[in-house]
Amino acid sequence: MNRLRSLPHDRREVVSLGRRSLLAAGATALAATIVPTAAQAAPPPPATGDEALAELLRGNRRFVTGHLRHPHQNVAAIHRLAAAQDPFVITLGCADSRVPSELLFDQGLGDIFDNRVAGNIVDDLLLGSIEYAVEHFDPPLLLVLGHERCGAISATVDILRSGGEAPGHIAAIVDALTPIVEPVLSLPGDPVENGVVANVRAQVAALTATSPIVREKVEAGHLRVAGARYDLDTGKVTLL
């Protein structure tokens, strides 16, 4: 027979309240031990270009191996970032739907100030966006990310070889890439792959050559500008 039911009504209430109090106290004690531990476990954001690059490559390894953490992708992150952002890296990547920086580096809300355009080309608008982030957030890393079999590079190679013209405003992309791709057409190997690598390196150079704001941060040791290539077949990012 249930012992609680056998007790008088007033004593049943006392026992029931006592049990609830014990459960509440236990939950409070458990929360007190878990919350501080989680807060202490959260690492500080990268403070240098090398640290930021290492964090991105660690995230890419998680992406490639399927051990994703999906950091900073919850309601708490939404509320924390509502008033301000503090990204640790600026990226200039291609608009290709298969190359979203937050996914392939396993990062979350507020981590990456991501700029994407076909061919990852530095023009005045993209440079203005990048300079804004450099000035306002002072991140330690600016990364140019090209990718395997880039459609913008491939289109430029085709136009240069055929002597044709690109339709519409696609011609603006081809015109911007032609001085970079044309010199590597005769090199050994795949011309599109050669163009991808040459373009990343050219955009890295252009960022410091054309932007006094970027150059000043680099010369002061506050910003690292790097280039990388994403492999569509493996998901791996390789530094160039």
Side-chain angles (χ1 to χ4, degrees):
M1 184 177 180
N2 191 307
R3 293 181 62 189
L4 183 59
R5 289 181 180 176
S6 66
L7 294 173
H9 182 72
D10 55 345
R11 291 192 62 191
R12 273 189 255 170
E13 290 184 353
V14 171
V15 172
S16 180
L17 286 171
R19 287 179 177 176
R20 287 199 295 269
S21 298
L22 286 173
L23 288 172
T28 302
L30 181 60
T33 59
I34 292 176
V35 173
T37 301
Q40 291 166 4
T48 69
D50 290 347
E51 290 177 3
L53 200 53
E55 169 58 27
L56 292 181
L57 294 178
R58 280 193 297 269
N60 181 243
R61 283 194 293 272
R62 296 194 299 269
F63 175 74
V64 171
T65 59
H67 295 88
L68 297 168
R69 295 179 182 172
H70 303 292
H72 312 146
Q73 297 181 29
N74 51 33
V75 174
I78 294 172
H79 294 163
R80 176 175 58 84
L81 293 164
Q85 59 177 312
D86 187 25
F88 72 85
V89 58
I90 303 167
T91 57
L92 172 59
C94 185
D96 192 295
S97 64
R98 299 164 292 181
V99 196
S101 295
E102 288 84 358
L103 295 184
L104 60 92
F105 288 122
D106 191 27
Q107 301 299 316
L109 297 173
D111 293 327
I112 299 177
F113 193 90
D114 195 16
N115 302 270
R116 298 176 65 192
V117 65
N120 41 275
I121 302 164
V122 179
D123 63 8
D124 286 345
L125 287 174
L126 264 295
L127 190 55
S129 177
I130 290 168
E131 287 181 340
Y132 172 84
V134 169
E135 283 279 88
H136 283 75
F137 310 126
D138 199 23
L141 180 65
L142 169 52
L143 181 71
V144 178
L145 182 65
H147 69 91
E148 182 185 24
R149 298 193 294 273
C150 177
I153 301 293
S154 181
T156 304
V157 169
D158 290 344
I159 293 296
L160 287 173
R161 284 184 163 175
S162 68
E165 294 183 0
H169 288 79
I170 299 173
I173 299 173
V174 172
D175 289 346
L177 290 172
T178 291
I180 299 167
V181 174
E182 193 168 28
V184 303
L185 278 179
S186 58
L187 295 180
D190 178 63
V192 174
E193 179 61 25
N194 291 340
V196 167
V197 174
N199 184 44
V200 169
R201 290 173 174 161
Q203 303 306 328
V204 168
L207 283 165
T208 53
T210 60
S211 172
I213 292 174
V214 171
R215 187 166 56 252
E216 179 182 349
K217 293 286 187 178
V218 171
E219 291 174 351
H222 297 158
L223 178 67
R224 176 177 176 180
V225 182
R229 171 194 177 274
Y230 176 73
D231 193 301
L232 292 175
D233 296 316
T234 66
K236 184 178 180 180
V237 172
T238 304
L239 298 180
L240 296 177

